Amino acid sequence: MPSASRTADRPADEDIDKLLRLASVPSLTLASIDGDRITTKAFGVRRAGDAERVSADSVYAAASLTKMVFGYVFLGLANEGVVSLDAPVREYLPLPNPNDARAVSITARHLLSHSSGWRNWRDTNADVLTSNLEPGTRWSYSGEGYFFLQRILEMLTGKSLGQLARERVFEPLGMKRTSMAALAELEPFQVTGHGGRGEPRTPYGRAALLELRRMMTARNASLEAAMVSDSELALKTVDAAAAVLPNSLLVNAAFSMLTTANDFGIFLRHVVTAPRRGGPAAAIVKQMMTPQVRCNESIQWGLGAGLEDVGDRRYAWQWGDNPGFKAFYLADPQREQAIVVFTNGDRGARVYERVIRSLLGTDHPAFLWA
């Protein structure tokens, strides 16, 4: 990656503004990390048709970039002996499908590296979660797997995902506008998601979110303290006929984090400088960067992160793909460099690919895989 000082010069600001217009994406924010330095840029507006500009502190849905933060939390607890990476997960919680013979050997290592064989998500109560391959042998992306690990951590610690992330990542690093839960106090800073033609999208699950907030307020508790059972109850309260499945629950290890370019840049800086600083963070980053399963000649998966080999460089990476929001990060701990881009439109990937290629001066195999 180029030094952070160069990111302000290439591509030109007007080029990014034009890309956003052509793709019908209202905004883009980014953070570039070079050692201890973070450089941020912001383009466009919070909502199509409105004049308010975004900043590096505007709040976006991180989508699957959530998985990296969750993986960091999980590995920290594993290294402290709270949970095992290699014990069958059925030793902690009953499997979703106890009749699946392959699933009895699934471990947290398999789930973090997307090699359990479980599908990404179930869509109806009639869907059965069955391992479609021998665990550990091949890659198969699974949000369900991350959610299952969330439930395990709740059971072992007695704390919610929101609390664990707050205590172990957001608060220590000073990530002031980041949460695993859709906090009311973040709403004034949130951008709106948009469809492929730039039309504003209606936020998913708004009624369930408002009910969950009401429930937690009645207990004099933060929304971040909501457990999986609370999310399930809120959903059933507003829609008794709803399929209460992991992909419909709003506090979710696979996709629910809200964050900013500046805040996620702070997290990436923590990750890429960890090997130099040493300590528990360095051990976690080493685990994340250790390949577990190969996808193709350039792409592998570690624990909580995709891995991409380009020449002699190994990047951690992940795409984010929620309705109305597309995001991407690359991180190179060996050189202490990283970049993250957030967009608020369904065509955002077309923009962030071009911006990242231009800023870094090279193509990335991950764009072909994502």
Side-chain angles (χ1 to χ4, degrees), residues 26-50:
S27 73
L28 176 151
T29 62
L30 67 86
S32 180
I33 293 85
D34 190 1
D36 293 321
R37 182 178 179 185
I38 301 174
T39 300
T40 59
K41 300 281 284 186
F43 304 86
V45 296
R46 288 177 54 186
R47 181 182 173 91
D50 291 352

Side-chain angles (χ1 to χ4, degrees), residues 137-188:
T137 60
R138 286 191 292 117
W139 184 89
S140 180
Y141 196 74
S142 178
E144 290 260 5
Y146 273 67
F147 186 80
F148 195 79
L149 292 179
Q150 174 184 344
R151 293 183 60 221
I152 287 175
L153 290 193
E154 282 195 357
M155 183 272 296
L156 291 174
T157 66
K159 295 181 178 180
S160 68
L161 170 63
Q163 290 171 316
L164 290 169
R166 173 67 52 197
E167 294 171 4
R168 303 180 75 88
V169 179
F170 306 150
E171 192 68 30
L173 296 184
M175 297 168 67
K176 298 179 187 288
R177 290 189 184 174
T178 301
S179 178
M180 289 292 184
L183 301 176
E185 52 263 41
L186 293 180
E187 286 195 0

Side-chain angles (χ1 to χ4, degrees), residues 149-310:
L149 292 179
Q150 174 184 344
R151 293 183 60 221
I152 287 175
L153 290 193
E154 282 195 357
M155 183 272 296
L156 291 174
T157 66
K159 295 181 178 180
S160 68
L161 170 63
Q163 290 171 316
L164 290 169
R166 173 67 52 197
E167 294 171 4
R168 303 180 75 88
V169 179
F170 306 150
E171 192 68 30
L173 296 184
M175 297 168 67
K176 298 179 187 288
R177 290 189 184 174
T178 301
S179 178
M180 289 292 184
L183 301 176
E185 52 263 41
L186 293 180
E187 286 195 0
F189 312 105
Q190 281 184 242
V191 303
T192 300
H194 294 76
R197 298 299 176 188
E199 70 280 9
R201 278 183 170 272
T202 301
Y204 171 77
R206 181 68 178 175
L209 171 61
L210 294 177
E211 174 60 19
L212 185 59
R213 286 179 180 171
R214 186 200 64 76
M215 288 168 47
M216 301 309 291
T217 299
R219 298 181 202 169
N220 198 29
S222 167
L223 188 68
E224 288 187 323
M227 307 286 272
V228 168
S229 58
D230 296 316
S231 293
E232 292 173 337
L233 178 58
L235 181 60
K236 292 298 287 185
T237 299
V238 300
D239 184 359
V244 183
L245 293 168
N247 66 342
S248 62
L249 299 180
L250 300 178
V251 183
N252 200 302
F255 61 73
S256 72
M257 186 171 69
L258 298 174
T259 192
T260 71
N262 190 51
D263 274 8
F264 201 80
I266 290 171
F267 175 68
L268 287 178
R269 179 178 63 186
H270 175 74
V271 168
V272 299
T273 60
R276 163 166 54 92
R277 292 181 286 105
I284 292 172
V285 172
K286 182 177 180 180
Q287 289 172 296
M288 297 182 89
M289 300 296 295
T290 300
Q292 306 293 316
V293 60
R294 180 167 288 281
C295 304
N296 63 27
E297 62 188 81
S298 297
I299 303 297
Q300 302 181 79
W301 225 267
L303 297 176
L307 304 177
E308 176 201 77
D309 293 324
V310 180

